[in-house]
Amino acid sequence: MGADDHRWQGPAAGALSELEARVTYELDCLSFPEASWVPEVFDTNGQRAGAVLVVGGGQAGLATAFALKREGIHDVTVVDRNPSGREGPWINFARMLTLRTPKYLTGPDYGIPSLTFRAWFECQHGASAWEALQRIPTPMWMDYLLWFRKISGVEVSNGVELADCRGTLSGLVEVKLQSAGTSRSAVFRHVVLANGMDGGGCWYTPPEFTRPLPRSAWAHTSDPIDLEMLRGCRVAVLGAGASAFDAAAAALDHGATVDLYFRRAGLLKVEHRAWLEQAGFLRGFGALDDRQKWAVMHRLLSLGAPAPESAVARVIGHASFSMHAGTGWIETAYRDGRIQITTSAGPREADFAIFGTGARYDLSMRPELASVAPLAARWCDRFTPDETQRADEVGLYPYLGRGFELLERVQGQAPWIKRIHLFNYAATPSVGVSGSSGTGLKTGLQRLVGAIIERLYVDSFDRHLAAMPWPSQSTSPGES
Ligand SMILES: Cc1cc2nc3c(=O)[nH]c(=O)nc-3n(C[C@H](O)[C@H](O)[C@H](O)COP(=O)(O)OP(=O)(O)OC[C@H]3O[C@@H](n4cnc5c(N)ncnc54)[C@H](O)[C@@H]3O)c2cc1C
């Protein structure tokens, strides 16, 4: 198995059994799962309220459910609208050959070494293969997550979609869950939205460029794309981020000719990932004041996200690839089965267009949050930046509390929304980290789980106090 060898054959079952025995032993040593301590709660209509609903069975959802169980919160329901084994982007629309982040990042393991990707990899391929591994092949990461799901005992209800959530009279959260055309409602004390990179908004395509085109003539990089259909076609890719280059490479691998367009004069070179990966930022960002947080976000946006060198290297020099820097699109049209693109460098043509235009963050764009979005505070409701640091799109991000919880736009209007935790990329301006990156998962998880524990305990404190033994009749405080 050489470095970056992509011919991943899937996990080696035999070798894994030893590791699984070790995991079981270690969890036992850690008295996993902790004894349950969360008392049952019923809503005013007598319906039992689950303790926590986790929306999303990807890395963040699995890790959250496991971590809650470790802390004695067993009443956790995890749903995912995707079929089992197809959670997240990894084998759906992630077209990079390897993860973009370093192999040593941990996260779902919640601090248990034998649950890390490294332990899982090494027990199958040995330490020298680990040393030789540069980055984690993307399908392999998915297999690791499926193994983690199995060994951590997290149950996911697949094919179940969160369709709506709103407050109940008793201040809890009522959700509507849809599956196989039927829907049911349920009540929860906390809802964790571990619903992916776009979970606090949506993947974005510029409507002025897509409106003139038939839907069959374009895709966003987050869409499934029939790459074989592009063989012999001219493909126009808009964007210069990681996903744009990955889509270009995948189209080239399937025999297309690719033009990649972006407005900037050249590729971004400044790599700021290392700055984001230091513990100070990961743990301390949430404690900054709004002006400081905004300064970081404004800088991050100005920096942009450079495409990884490996993604650029995959296409640069390819005979059928052309990169058009400083070439913005002005408008599109569709004539005689072809896409006509008016660019700042003149007219261009293509058979298919791929938009590597990322996502926008605004809760009102999320159908399942339609009832919540008007009630939730956004950055523009709480902070006005200096004119020099204006960034209107950051203003639309939700303004979250330190436990990733939504906050009320108008005090007293919807206290229940504090029971909804946004554990995805939209949390970045408020908390810095989230489940939506391997980098932030580890520290974000501790912050999220800590906040849910505190709230569940405080909410049911009277019950805990009532359950606390009383001193026998004869003794009074301090008397031994
Ligand atoms: C193309 C791509 C490449 C990336 N590469 C890297 C990388 O190399 N390294 C890194 O650290 N990070 C990377 N990231 C960022 C991040 O780590 C991933 O997005 C990761 O998948 C986030 O995990 P998650 O569990 O938060 O979300 P996901 O893995 O996306 O899982 C979210 C799940 O929520 C489900 N869901 C969404 N809405 C609902 C709903 N309403 N009801 C029910 N289920 C719902 C979805 O079906 C999905 O399965 C990448 C992201 C993308 C998009």
Side-chain angles (χ1 to χ4, degrees):
M1 169 116 194
D4 283 348
D5 182 316
H6 312 312
R7 285 183 301 287
W8 166 236
Q9 316 294 337
L16 276 175
S17 55
E18 239 174 79
L19 178 64
E20 291 170 0
R22 194 169 105 207
V23 171
T24 312
Y25 171 72
E26 286 177 1
L27 289 178
D28 210 28
C29 293
L30 294 163
S31 7
F32 172 86
E34 280 282 330
S36 173
W37 56 271
V38 182
E40 278 208 318
V41 161
F42 292 83
D43 198 25
T44 38
N45 59 11
Q47 190 175 2
R48 195 184 79 79
V52 184
L53 170 69
V54 176
V55 180
Q59 63 190 39
L62 294 176
T64 301
F66 174 63
L68 289 168
K69 225 164 128 186
R70 275 207 63 197
E71 305 290 357
I73 304 173
H74 299 185
D75 179 11
V76 177
T77 304
V78 184
V79 300
D80 196 298
R81 62 184 172 198
N82 281 6
S84 178
R86 298 205 71 96
E87 297 83 359
W90 311 114
I91 56 172
N92 291 318
F93 58 89
R95 298 184 183 88
M96 71 273 186
L97 301 175
T98 68
L99 293 201
R100 299 162 184 163
T101 34
K103 65 179 182 182
Y104 53 74
L105 281 186
T106 58
D109 51 270
Y110 204 48
I112 300 175
S114 59
L115 278 175
T116 59
F117 175 86
R118 177 176 176 176
W120 177 83
F121 179 93
E122 272 195 21
C123 89
Q124 296 171 84
H125 305 290
S128 56
W130 172 254
E131 287 315 313
L133 184 71
Q134 301 298 316
R135 289 188 187 253
I136 300 172
T138 311
M140 192 191 272
W141 181 251
M142 188 66 206
D143 280 328
Y144 160 70
L145 290 176
L146 291 174
W147 174 77
F148 175 82
R149 172 173 162 170
K150 184 192 78 173
I151 195 74
S152 64
V154 172
E155 286 169 21
V156 179
S157 304
N158 285 93
V160 179
E161 176 156 21
L162 172 73
D164 183 51
C165 44
R166 54 191 64 213
T168 71
L169 292 178
S170 56
L172 301 177
V173 184
E174 181 175 7
V175 299
K176 193 162 92 177
L177 298 174
Q178 256 159 4
S179 68
T182 62
S183 77
R184 68 181 176 89
S185 79
V187 176
F188 289 92
R189 299 165 69 182
H190 289 268
V191 173
V192 174
L193 296 171
N195 54 350
M197 196 84 183
D198 61 319
C202 69
W203 295 113
Y204 173 76
T205 47
E208 66 276 21
F209 298 147
T210 54
R211 216 177 289 125
L213 310 180
R215 189 63 184 89
S216 58
W218 65 270
H220 181 272
T221 49
S222 64
D223 290 330
I225 301 174
D226 176 354
L227 294 163
E228 205 38 56
M229 181 198 72
L230 302 180
R231 190 170 296 285
C233 292
R234 185 164 210 109
V235 175
V237 177
L238 183 60
S243 290
F245 276 96
D246 292 338
L252 288 167
D253 291 349
H254 286 76
T257 299
V258 176
D259 296 289
L260 184 137
Y261 301 91
F262 54 99
R263 279 178 302 212
R264 287 177 196 256
L267 288 178
L268 295 168
K269 292 266 185 283
V270 182
E271 177 48 73
H272 53 269
R273 191 183 294 280
W275 190 90
L276 295 174
E277 277 170 8
Q278 28 104 355
F281 168 80
L282 294 171
R283 291 195 187 283
F285 180 89
L288 296 174
D289 65 31
D290 290 353
R291 191 183 48 74
Q292 294 168 319
K293 289 178 181 176
W294 189 275
V296 171
M297 278 309 290
H298 183 262
R299 181 86 59 85
L300 281 178
L301 272 183
S302 323
L303 277 168
E309 279 172 24
S310 56
V312 178
R314 252 178 100 189
V315 297
I316 292 297
H318 195 294
S320 308
F321 177 75
S322 312
M323 188 165 83
H324 308 275
T327 310
W329 289 14
I330 298 166
E331 66 178 1
T332 61
Y334 197 71
R335 276 192 298 275
D336 311 324
R338 302 211 77 199
I339 302 172
Q340 313 296 327
I341 310 163
T342 309
T343 78
S344 55
R348 297 283 188 277
E349 280 199 348
D351 301 301
F352 192 80
I354 300 179
F355 292 91
T357 41
R360 290 284 163 87
Y361 296 94
D362 172 354
L363 296 185
S364 66
M365 293 173 162
R366 202 76 200 172
E368 66 267 46
L369 300 178
S371 319
V372 170
L375 304 167
R378 302 158 300 175
W379 269 83
C380 57
D381 303 314
R382 293 294 174 88
F383 179 75
T384 309
D386 305 345
E387 207 34 51
T388 56
Q389 289 199 332
R390 213 175 140 168
D392 295 351
E393 65 192 87
V394 181
L396 297 177
Y397 277 70
Y399 184 91
L400 306 181
R402 297 197 54 186
F404 296 91
E405 71 275 16
L406 294 176
L407 298 175
E408 297 169 281
R409 194 176 297 185
V410 180
Q411 196 69 26
Q413 191 184 35
W416 54 271
I417 64 166
K418 289 185 189 159
R419 294 177 177 282
I420 300 177
H421 306 260
L422 216 64
F423 196 42
N424 59 41
Y425 190 81
T428 306
S430 305
V431 194
V433 290
S434 72
S436 282
S437 81
T439 316
L441 187 53
K442 185 166 77 177
T443 44
L445 205 50
Q446 289 155 1
R447 180 185 283 274
L448 172 72
V449 170
I452 293 174
I453 292 171
E454 286 180 2
R455 183 72 197 266
L456 282 172
Y457 188 71
V458 171
D459 276 0
S460 48
F461 174 68
D462 296 346
R463 309 264 299 271
H464 288 291
L465 187 63
M468 190 179 179
W470 285 96
S472 64
Q473 295 314 318
S474 61
T475 54
S476 53
E479 184 188 353
S480 56

